[in-house]
């Protein structure tokens, strides 16, 4: 039965892929996924990307734009009726008022038509070709759910609890683990116990996301971003210790297992089929600085999450049928966001740290078939570089306006005053972060005060016709789009 279900699922995905390909012949289309964990910068990135393509910007490294071959880009009607539209106009208005837009908590889409002159001779309307670009913005928490598809409930239990006992997590996991200790998985199923366990498990996952802990690998993703599934049985399960091999029917473990399977069937699989399996390219945004700021355990956890992401790109791609039918993700870019919290001299170093993380994960995941690249960027640059003279020495600093109400170094900021800070230097050798014991990162500082977790307001002038300032957004566009605008 399970096999018939799987074949049916394969067929559905295959038919969808075929329909997408036929449409692609008539109308060349590129589906670009934008993902990353909550607050990694997806909303800001997608908004900045659309603004750069539709209104232009300073994009010297994005060849089709820099050479003048892009004639323009326009917003087009939404391709999929059942998917919310990415509200780019609203986000731009928010940015132009110097506030950050509301973050992504669900999937949304936006379609652009990019008109360009091909380097290989022009034909089509007015001598121009057109590429339809579908942007699909979705939570990275959902991507990290994909490896669950290949996991049994017992495996999920074992992995989750092993992770909860890892250094850096044990402290926030204590209450959840204590609550689990007296529970007998073979006891009769009981809704109140299931709810209490799920509640503690969810609270533990949420605590792992706190800024100063900054853990990355936290499946199941909907426990953190439940949307309209909040309170449903598919979200009312938790790992049990020890993960039972064959739970007796009617037991708590059997109920948990059933709900875990329901989560896979009603949440993870539809996401895979409707969204993930249809992507051609992907950018994964990673808040590497947040992990560096939180310490070596957060960095180790980020590495585990990257392992899991690379695994996600391989899920379900190992049968002959899927090899024949499914469009593969051809290119994946990993981007370290918020590089404007560092001085220019550290941007390459931030990139090198992420490259090191991704390459190590890539080595473990073995081939995934996709071409990969890494960049450190700021989609919207909120700081500028400044020189500060101290004791007769000129020192490189960054200047920005902290958000109103932010507190750091004993000060509360008013949202209007610009301050200059010394960004911590990243080590020239990324290995310094990965050696035994790891190395802490001081991040932004001023004298002895710690400004690591400070947030700056967006710059003035967005939406006033001036290009949005950024760092290396053009490098990301070059990797992700340029060859399709050739
Ligand atoms: P999402 O949850 O992945 O959609 O994240 P957002 O795009 O909403 O970004 C979360 C927060 O990160 C924003 O509210 C900003 O405070 C910050 N942020 C995102 N991108 C940038 C950037 O390019 N520069 C700076 N300085 N902050 C950023």
């Amino acid at each position: 039965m399970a096999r018939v279900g799987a074949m049916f699922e394969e067929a559905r995905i295959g038919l969808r892929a075929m329909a997408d390909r036929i449409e692609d012949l008539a109308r060349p289309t590129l589906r670009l996924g934008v993902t990353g964990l909550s607050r990694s910068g997806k909303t800001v990135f997608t908004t900045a990307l659309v603004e750069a393509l539709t209104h232009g910007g300073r994009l010297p490294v994005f060849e089709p734009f820099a050479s003048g071959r892009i004639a323009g880009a326009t917003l087009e009607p939404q391709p999929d009726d059942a998917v919310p539209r990415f509200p780019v106009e609203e986000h731009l208005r928010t940015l132009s008022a110097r506030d950050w837009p509301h973050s992504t908590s669900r999937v949304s889409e936006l379609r652009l038509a990019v008109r360009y002159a091909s380097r290989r001779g022009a034909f089509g309307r007015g001598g121009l070709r057109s590429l339809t670009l579908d942007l699909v913005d979705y939570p990275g928490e959902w991507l990290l759910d994909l490896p669950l598809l290949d996991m049994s409930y017992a495996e999920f239990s074992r992995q989750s609890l092993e992770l909860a006992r890892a250094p850096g997590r044990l402290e926030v996991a204590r209450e959840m683990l204590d609550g689990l200790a007296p529970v007998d998985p073979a006891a009769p199923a009981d809704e109140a116990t299931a709810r209490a366990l799920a509640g503690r498990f969810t609270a533990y996952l949420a605590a792992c996301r706190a800024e100063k802990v900054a853990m990355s690998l936290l499946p199941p993703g909907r426990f953190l971003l439940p949307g309209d599934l909040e309170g449903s049985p598919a979200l009312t399960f938790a790992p049990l210790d020890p993960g039972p091999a064959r739970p007796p029917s009617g037991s708590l473990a059997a109920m948990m297992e059933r709900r875990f399977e329901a989560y896979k069937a009603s949440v993870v699989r539809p996401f895979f089929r409707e969204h993930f399996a249809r992507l051609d390219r992907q950018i994964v945004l990673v808040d590497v600085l947040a992990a560096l700021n939180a310490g070596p355990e957060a960095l180790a956890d980020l590495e585990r999450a990257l392992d899991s992401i690379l695994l996600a790109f391989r899920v379900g791609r190992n049968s002959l049928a899927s090899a024949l039918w499914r469009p593969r993700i051809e290119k994946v870019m990993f981007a370290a966001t918020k590089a404007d919290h560092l001085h220019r001299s550290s941007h390459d170093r931030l990139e090198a740290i992420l490259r090191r993380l991704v390459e190590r994960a890539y080595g473990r995941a073995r081939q995934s078939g996709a071409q990969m690249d890494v960049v450190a960027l700021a989609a919207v640059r909120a700081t500028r570089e400044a020189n500060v003279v101290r004791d007769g020495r000129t020192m490189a600093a960054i200047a920005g306006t902290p958000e109103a109400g932010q507190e750091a170094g004993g000060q509360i900021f008013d949202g209007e005053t610009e301050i200059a800070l010394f960004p911590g230097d990243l080590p020239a050798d990324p290995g310094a972060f990965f050696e035994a014991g790891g190395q802490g990162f001081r991040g932004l500082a001023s004298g002895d005060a710690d400004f690591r977790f400070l947030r700056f307001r967006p710059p003035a002038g967005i939406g006033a016709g001036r290009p949005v300032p950024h760092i290396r957004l053009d490098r990301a566009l070059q990797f992700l789009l340029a060859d399709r605008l050739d």
Side-chain angles (χ1 to χ4, degrees), residues 36-45 100-105 137 285 287 337-341 377-383 403 455-457:
L37 290 181
S38 179
R39 304 201 62 76
S40 59
K42 299 177 291 295
T43 310
V44 173
F45 175 86
W100 296 106
H102 283 301
S103 295
T104 304
S105 59
D137 174 4
L285 304 178
D287 197 341
T337 52
K338 309 178 198 178
D340 54 339
H341 283 227
L377 58 76
V380 172
R381 180 178 194 156
T383 66
E403 287 178 6
R455 280 205 293 275
F456 296 103
R457 292 183 69 189

Side-chain angles (χ1 to χ4, degrees), residues 129-326:
R129 296 187 188 198
S130 180
L131 175 71
T132 299
L133 178 62
D134 285 337
L135 300 169
V136 184
D137 174 4
Y138 68 92
E141 286 81 353
W142 299 9
L143 180 61
L144 287 171
D145 270 355
L146 291 181
L148 296 182
L149 288 177
D150 291 337
M151 240 184 250
S152 68
Y153 171 67
E155 278 167 314
F156 159 76
S157 284
R158 193 176 40 75
Q159 277 200 12
S160 303
L161 295 175
E162 213 173 273
L163 208 54
R165 294 184 178 114
R169 290 192 179 225
L170 192 57
E171 209 157 296
V172 283
R174 183 96 47 203
E175 202 180 322
M176 189 264 293
L177 293 171
D178 287 351
L180 209 54
V183 173
D184 175 9
D190 161 42
E191 186 62 34
T193 311
R195 287 188 37 196
L197 291 174
R200 277 196 287 266
F201 184 55
T202 309
Y204 147 74
L205 292 176
C208 282
R209 266 320 270 165
E211 213 166 37
K212 306 229 155 117
V213 183
M215 293 292 154
S216 305
L217 183 58
L218 304 163
R222 296 297 158 102
F223 279 49
L224 293 173
L225 298 166
D228 49 11
L229 288 172
E230 189 147 19
S232 69
L235 297 196
T236 314
F237 67 90
L240 286 176
D241 193 16
R246 275 212 163 272
S249 78
S251 66
L252 182 66
M255 178 163 97
M256 293 288 194
E257 181 174 41
R258 209 172 49 244
R259 290 179 175 185
F260 173 76
E261 292 301 328
Y263 181 83
K264 281 161 56 177
S266 62
V267 174
V268 187
R269 214 159 268 134
F271 162 68
F272 182 80
R273 182 179 64 233
E274 300 299 325
H275 303 292
F276 188 76
R278 299 178 63 203
L279 297 175
D280 301 310
R281 295 185 181 183
Q282 174 72 62
I283 182 162
V284 181
L285 304 178
V286 186
D287 197 341
V288 179
L289 276 175
L292 293 177
N293 282 334
E297 278 123 14
L299 198 64
D301 202 74
L302 175 58
E303 190 166 347
R304 278 195 288 265
L306 289 169
D307 271 351
S308 194
I309 287 175
L310 288 174
L311 209 61
F313 288 119
R314 292 181 45 198
V315 161
R317 286 178 203 276
N318 36 19
S319 74
L320 178 64
S322 60
L324 290 174
W325 277 345
R326 270 186 213 154

